[in-house]
Amino acid sequence: MTDRYALVDANAATMEPSPDGYGLIPDAAIVIEDGRIVWAGMRGNLEGQYSGLREVSCGGRLVTPALVDCHTHIVFGGNRAREFEMRLNGASYEEVARAGGGIVSTVAATRAATEDALLQRALVRADALIAQGVSVIEVKSGYGLDRDTELKMLRVARRIADLRPVRVRTTFLGAHAVPAGADADAYIDNVCLPALDAAHGEGLVDAVDGFCEGIAFDAAQIERVFARARALGLPVKLHSDQLSNIGGTPLAARFGAMSVDHLEYATEADARAMAASGSVAVILPGAFYTIRETRKPPIAAFRAQGVAMAVATDWNPGSSPLGSLLLAMNMACTLFEMTPAEALAGTTRHAARALGLSDCGVIAPGKRADLAIWNVEEPGELAYGIGINPLHARVFGGVHELR
Ligand code: DI6
Ligand code: FE
């Protein structure tokens, strides 16, 4: 049986490329059939074949594509609140690490947690994102740094989508940190690459990522991971130029990365390389804010080069304990001078592209009916509010859910 209905009494920001930045359709109708959008346009132009359809009123509200959080680490054990307090009391990074804090503490807690315990904690985080109109969450591994825990994290990520109305894209991030006491090269060859093979063998990997940074892995080490990804037929993305520039971005571009993420220390030349490879720049203001970074990503260069920009939470227990994609949009505007339209494209159309998804991120015929209905008068309000959640309802695969 086909289920067909029309959303009406809506102002739609389709997020299709357009001069207004939003692809606005006033007094829109959106026809949904079996979970897909089959028609979108001005209600007055609704084609005859759709007249007499069951109508669902949006009460004059704004409708956008549902949001996509294209960079998160929401599967992890423990928390790092005490480390936050220590830093505010003047403790150095080294003192925090010596007191058992930092990324190694999250690795220890993630290894110690059962799969079910990790899942319960991750579901709470997924629910917070869903409540803000998110329909796709990217989830990275990288707090296991051993084969079994990396696989455990990815299985938990997959299970989120079995238990909640959301799609999950998994990213293998075995090259996230060098385990305490290990040699980085030996870790890549003896742990990371075999873990990637095993995770891929179990169908747990949609993409492969790495942390190319002085405190993590250099470009030659990341290249070995990317070469294995290529051999397995998996797309790549990269944490690059967050704290320093050690050449990760040209490497990512050479491998045709779907996205390059963070990018505070990226140069004009890096932006040109990304333009040539078609890689999306994923802007992560939550990490910039948390670590009190002062160097900003080269937004103007991305704009000038036509590099698509996405915005994400980077939700993780260390550098970005940020559970709000709307707040990430606000921060991208206030901290980096992105426009509200760029911020919304960054959590819809461009975020979908950063994940290699072509079936969502805009309101257009053929796309999934994943929509957000907001209690706002105009789309610029979404990035303008701070700590406000104006979601009225979400539509996921055509199913309309009131908040
Ligand atoms: N970039 C970051 O800022 C972190 N990971 C990454 O790739 C930090 C993660 C943590 O501290 O737990
Ligand atoms: Fe990250």
Side-chain angles (χ1 to χ4, degrees), residues 303-317:
R303 242 180 232 137
Q305 297 295 330
V307 174
M309 291 180 281
V311 174
T313 61
D314 195 16
W315 193 345
N316 76 64

Side-chain angles (χ1 to χ4, degrees), residues 154-232:
L154 293 166
R155 278 195 301 271
V156 168
R158 284 272 191 254
R159 285 174 68 191
I160 294 170
D162 296 334
L163 296 171
R164 292 295 189 270
V166 74
R167 289 198 293 166
V168 168
R169 301 298 286 177
T170 55
T171 301
F172 177 83
L173 179 58
H176 188 197
V178 183
D183 170 75
D185 282 304
Y187 169 75
I188 293 287
D189 294 334
N190 303 331
V191 181
C192 182
L193 296 179
L196 172 55
D197 290 340
H200 174 66
E202 291 191 22
L204 292 172
V205 185
D206 297 324
V208 174
D209 195 348
F211 191 21
C212 189
E213 197 61 64
I215 59 165
F217 299 96
D218 65 27
Q221 290 156 347
I222 296 293
E223 181 162 4
R224 299 215 293 283
V225 178
F226 281 3
R228 182 65 58 91
R230 180 175 277 173
L232 297 173

Side-chain angles (χ1 to χ4, degrees), residues 71 73 80 83 93 102-103 106 143 173 176 210-211 239 242-243 262 287 291 314 316-320:
H71 182 141
H73 310 243
R80 309 248 287 274
E83 177 180 324
Y93 189 80
I103 195 165
T106 300
Y143 287 119
L173 179 58
H176 188 197
F211 191 21
H239 288 67
Q242 180 188 4
L243 309 168
H262 286 288
I291 67 174
D314 195 16
N316 76 64
S319 65
S320 189

Side-chain angles (χ1 to χ4, degrees), residues 135-383:
S135 67
V136 182
I137 307 173
E138 185 258 15
V139 182
K140 300 177 195 295
S141 69
Y143 287 119
L145 309 183
D146 65 36
R147 185 198 124 113
D148 288 352
T149 312
E150 290 294 306
L151 266 66
K152 177 171 72 175
M153 290 183 70
L154 293 166
R155 278 195 301 271
V156 168
R158 284 272 191 254
R159 285 174 68 191
I160 294 170
D162 296 334
L163 296 171
R164 292 295 189 270
V166 74
R167 289 198 293 166
V168 168
R169 301 298 286 177
T170 55
T171 301
F172 177 83
L173 179 58
H176 188 197
V178 183
D183 170 75
D185 282 304
Y187 169 75
I188 293 287
D189 294 334
N190 303 331
V191 181
C192 182
L193 296 179
L196 172 55
D197 290 340
H200 174 66
E202 291 191 22
L204 292 172
V205 185
D206 297 324
V208 174
D209 195 348
F211 191 21
C212 189
E213 197 61 64
I215 59 165
F217 299 96
D218 65 27
Q221 290 156 347
I222 296 293
E223 181 162 4
R224 299 215 293 283
V225 178
F226 281 3
R228 182 65 58 91
R230 180 175 277 173
L232 297 173
L234 293 169
V236 301
K237 41 182 53 240
L238 189 63
H239 288 67
S240 184
D241 306 331
Q242 180 188 4
L243 309 168
S244 64
N245 188 324
I246 60 166
T249 300
L251 170 75
R254 206 150 42 76
F255 277 82
M258 294 196 294
S259 72
V260 186
D261 303 38
H262 286 288
L263 294 164
E264 279 82 346
Y265 287 81
T267 62
E268 291 251 0
D270 292 320
R272 276 197 300 278
M274 290 171 65
S277 62
S279 306
V280 175
V282 178
I283 304 301
L284 302 167
F288 173 93
Y289 169 87
T290 301
I291 67 174
R292 301 185 198 223
E293 178 57 65
T294 53
R295 168 102 167 218
K296 298 178 186 185
I299 301 296
F302 294 141
R303 242 180 232 137
Q305 297 295 330
V307 174
M309 291 180 281
V311 174
T313 61
D314 195 16
W315 193 345
N316 76 64
S319 65
S320 189
L322 170 62
S324 168
L325 191 53
L326 290 169
L327 184 52
M329 289 165 60
N330 173 271
M331 289 174 159
C333 295
T334 299
L335 299 174
F336 300 153
E337 292 88 33
M338 286 177 71
T339 68
E342 285 173 333
L344 187 56
T347 54
T348 55
R349 185 172 84 247
H350 294 159
R353 192 173 134 192
L355 298 179
L357 295 174
S358 57
D359 62 352
C360 64
V362 294
I363 298 176
K367 303 300 179 190
R368 283 175 55 93
D370 292 347
L371 305 168
I373 305 173
W374 306 96
N375 283 313
V376 301
E377 285 166 29
E378 50 183 287
E381 276 183 69
L382 295 175

Side-chain angles (χ1 to χ4, degrees), residues 44-67:
N45 298 337
L46 198 61
E47 288 164 13
Q49 58 176 315
Y50 299 123
S51 63
L53 264 191
R54 178 164 67 88
E55 293 185 344
V56 176
S57 172
C58 296
R61 293 180 179 86
L62 178 76
V63 181
T64 68
L67 305 184

